[in-house]
Amino acid sequence: MSTNPVWFITGSSAGLGLALTRYALSQGHTVIATSRNPARTPELVAEVEKQGGKWLTLDALSDENIIKETMQQAESIFGRLDIVVNNAAYCVLGSTEDVPDADVVTQMQVNFLAPLRITRAVLPGMRNRKSGVILNVSSAQGVCPSPATGIYAASKAAMEAASDALGAEVAPFGIRVLIAVPGAFRTNFANAGVLSEPSEAYANDHPVGTRLGWVKSLGSGAAKGDPVKAAKVMFEAATGTGDFGTLVAKENFLRVLIGPDCWRVADAKITEFRRTLDAQKELAGSTNL
């Protein structure tokens, strides 16, 4: 049985998931990495297993029983799972009117329902041990939705809401819930999304068309975020180490904002919300019997 913290990370074959997998291994921790099709990245599987980790197949579209069986298998490898990272996700792009129902359903299955099932599967073991960390990777869009990303934002907002409630529910058992909220990072995330081309009403200079052009630029390397630095922040937050982790633990923060762009849009959202609250205080208080 491993004496080092044991991580379980979904979406380990690319982007922030791969960066976090590598960073945790570099710190001497044990990692069970997962992806939908490990056969596509044999070099990454070999890299992880050479350092004492394991790589499992996990398809977010699998039914509840298969995901539960996968989690039981993962927990049996090293005897426990200390830090579970729900990172695997993708982005559906397009106007809220244009995105087909089938894409909406699949988006919610991958980005919300699969992390929920994984979390439910690991909670019994964490409760028994009275310890554990669940780190759910959200997005700045989950806090501050933009045109053309409404469906993706809804899936992340659902994760945010469930995580907020879950944190209070499991704290008495010694389990901590964290929400990582990254901005734009230099990964292949934008290119891996599903795009519903905007209908004529939403194309060109419409906010949807403009936003889609910006998202496409991210796939060409316009994003400024460094995935390795993001991985370090997530590692410190989950382990309570380093300057960032010490701050998060001391203040008992639920959310971990990653990237100056994420901070800016969140700050603008809070400013607007404050304006709304201040303007409507008397009206809100006028409705009691």
Side-chain angles (χ1 to χ4, degrees):
M1 182 181 293
S2 174
T3 57
N4 298 321
V6 179
W7 293 65
F8 180 90
I9 303 174
T10 69
S12 300
S13 61
L16 296 182
L18 176 58
L20 182 57
T21 295
R22 284 173 165 163
Y23 191 85
L25 287 169
S26 75
Q27 300 305 299
H29 290 204
T30 302
V31 176
I32 300 174
T34 75
S35 61
R36 183 174 59 180
N37 190 352
R40 291 184 178 178
T41 57
E43 72 287 355
L44 296 181
V45 175
E47 177 185 337
V48 167
E49 295 190 345
K50 184 178 180 180
Q51 297 180 73
K54 296 291 182 181
W55 199 296
L56 298 180
T57 299
L58 192 150
D59 186 342
L61 292 176
S62 299
D63 66 31
E64 183 178 9
N65 289 332
I66 292 177
I67 289 180
K68 188 173 182 179
E69 290 172 3
T70 300
M71 300 312 298
Q72 290 171 343
Q73 178 188 359
E75 194 157 14
S76 69
I77 294 173
F78 298 108
R80 68 188 192 281
L81 298 174
D82 298 308
I83 303 170
V84 173
V85 183
N86 285 306
N87 164 76
Y90 77 107
C91 183
V92 166
L93 297 166
S95 77
T96 307
E97 181 180 351
D98 290 332
V99 175
D101 273 7
D103 288 347
V104 175
V105 171
T106 304
Q107 178 80 114
M108 294 301 293
Q109 285 180 319
V110 172
N111 290 10
F112 174 64
L113 187 55
L116 179 63
R117 288 170 169 169
I118 289 168
T119 299
R120 286 173 169 174
V122 301
L123 282 176
M126 288 184 172
R127 282 204 320 274
N128 289 338
R129 292 186 298 275
K130 299 189 182 303
S131 67
V133 175
I134 296 170
L135 173 60
N136 290 330
V137 181
S138 180
S139 163
Q141 289 299 308
V143 178
C144 313
S146 301
T149 58
I151 303 305
Y152 170 70
S155 71
K156 290 300 188 178
M159 173 186 275
E160 294 255 351
S163 299
D164 213 329
L166 180 67
E169 292 169 355
V170 300
F173 306 124
I175 302 170
R176 186 139 189 233
V177 175
L178 292 168
I179 307 172
V181 189
F185 280 80
R186 194 160 295 182
T187 67
N188 195 42
F189 188 75
N191 291 333
V194 173
L195 170 64
S196 293
E197 289 291 346
S199 53
E200 184 177 353
Y202 295 101
N204 302 322
D205 293 332
H206 186 278
V208 167
T210 301
R211 183 70 180 183
L212 288 174
W214 179 82
V215 172
K216 290 176 181 177
S217 75
L218 296 180
S220 303
K224 296 181 179 180
D226 181 349
V228 176
K229 291 182 178 179
K232 183 176 184 291
V233 168
M234 287 191 286
F235 177 91
E236 290 184 354
T239 58
T241 58
D243 292 340
F244 207 97
T246 300
L247 173 65
V248 169
K250 177 183 177 182
E251 301 294 339
N252 197 28
F253 287 136
L254 172 67
R255 285 172 178 80
V256 180
L257 303 184
I258 309 176
D261 55 336
C262 176
W263 188 93
R264 283 193 299 270
V265 296
D267 183 57
K269 179 83 171 187
I270 293 299
T271 299
E272 173 59 22
F273 195 29
R274 182 76 261 171
R275 186 180 74 89
T276 301
L277 288 173
D278 291 344
Q280 297 183 20
K281 181 179 180 180
E282 290 186 10
L283 179 62
S286 67
T287 56
N288 285 352
L289 291 172

